[in-house]
Amino acid sequence: NGIYKALKSDGRFLMDYLNRDFIVDNLVPENEVVKDEYTTVNKRWITDDGKRVEKKTVVIMKDGEEHIFEESVRMFSDNEMKLMFEAAGFKNVSIYGTLEGDSLSTGCSRMIITAQK
């Protein structure tokens, strides 16, 4: 709604968002990256309701000190996104799988949305 209000008449909006279906099919539950000064351990999961992807990152410094970061991102289907954009007043809502305009599929990591006020 805020974006719609901020746009000039006939203004256009482009949004690059994650593709829910790709995340569900390709989620890497855990990985570890070892560097000279620290090790990073990432754990990822999808919430029981299937609406969020969450991540916990633990950075372990060489001296044993740990830093913990948590992330939670709401995932939307392409249909949910289209309905939200249209409810805000946007017209000509189009959804793609790439910035080149390819169709959205489960093989696309991104959901590209264009809309016009």
Side-chain angles (χ1 to χ4, degrees), residues 20-38:
R20 180 197 175 283
D21 293 337
F22 181 86
I23 298 297
V24 169
D25 290 348
N26 296 282
L27 185 73
V28 177
E30 187 171 338
N31 75 312
E32 184 175 299
V33 178
V34 179
K35 300 283 185 178
D36 288 339
E37 297 299 317
Y38 60 90

Side-chain angles (χ1 to χ4, degrees), residues 34-65:
V34 179
K35 300 283 185 178
D36 288 339
E37 297 299 317
Y38 60 90
T39 298
T40 303
V41 178
N42 296 297
K43 294 185 181 184
R44 300 171 193 85
W45 63 95
I46 295 172
T47 57
D48 291 339
D49 63 6
K51 293 184 177 182
R52 303 188 81 77
V53 60
E54 301 197 336
K55 180 170 85 170
K56 181 177 182 177
T57 300
V58 179
V59 179
I60 306 160
M61 305 305 290
K62 193 174 184 177
D63 64 6
E65 181 181 356

Side-chain angles (χ1 to χ4, degrees), residues 94-107:
S94 298
I95 299 178
Y96 306 97
T98 67
L99 287 170
E100 289 76 26
D102 298 320
S103 296
L104 182 67
S105 71
T106 57

Side-chain angles (χ1 to χ4, degrees), residues 48-112:
D48 291 339
D49 63 6
K51 293 184 177 182
R52 303 188 81 77
V53 60
E54 301 197 336
K55 180 170 85 170
K56 181 177 182 177
T57 300
V58 179
V59 179
I60 306 160
M61 305 305 290
K62 193 174 184 177
D63 64 6
E65 181 181 356
E66 290 187 3
H67 303 276
I68 299 173
F69 304 92
E70 295 180 352
E71 185 178 333
S72 180
V73 178
R74 173 68 160 90
M75 298 187 296
F76 297 95
S77 70
D78 54 334
N79 190 50
E80 288 175 306
M81 284 295 222
K82 186 168 185 160
L83 290 173
M84 284 191 293
F85 272 73
E86 289 172 346
F90 282 99
K91 58 186 178 183
N92 300 324
V93 179
S94 298
I95 299 178
Y96 306 97
T98 67
L99 287 170
E100 289 76 26
D102 298 320
S103 296
L104 182 67
S105 71
T106 57
C108 300
S109 63
R110 311 304 302 168
M111 181 187 328
I112 309 301

Side-chain angles (χ1 to χ4, degrees), residues 2-19:
I3 293 165
Y4 183 84
K5 290 176 185 175
L7 284 174
K8 293 181 180 180
S9 182
D10 283 334
R12 294 177 187 258
F13 179 67
L14 180 138
M15 181 177 190
D16 181 352
Y17 202 71
L18 58 86
N19 179 1

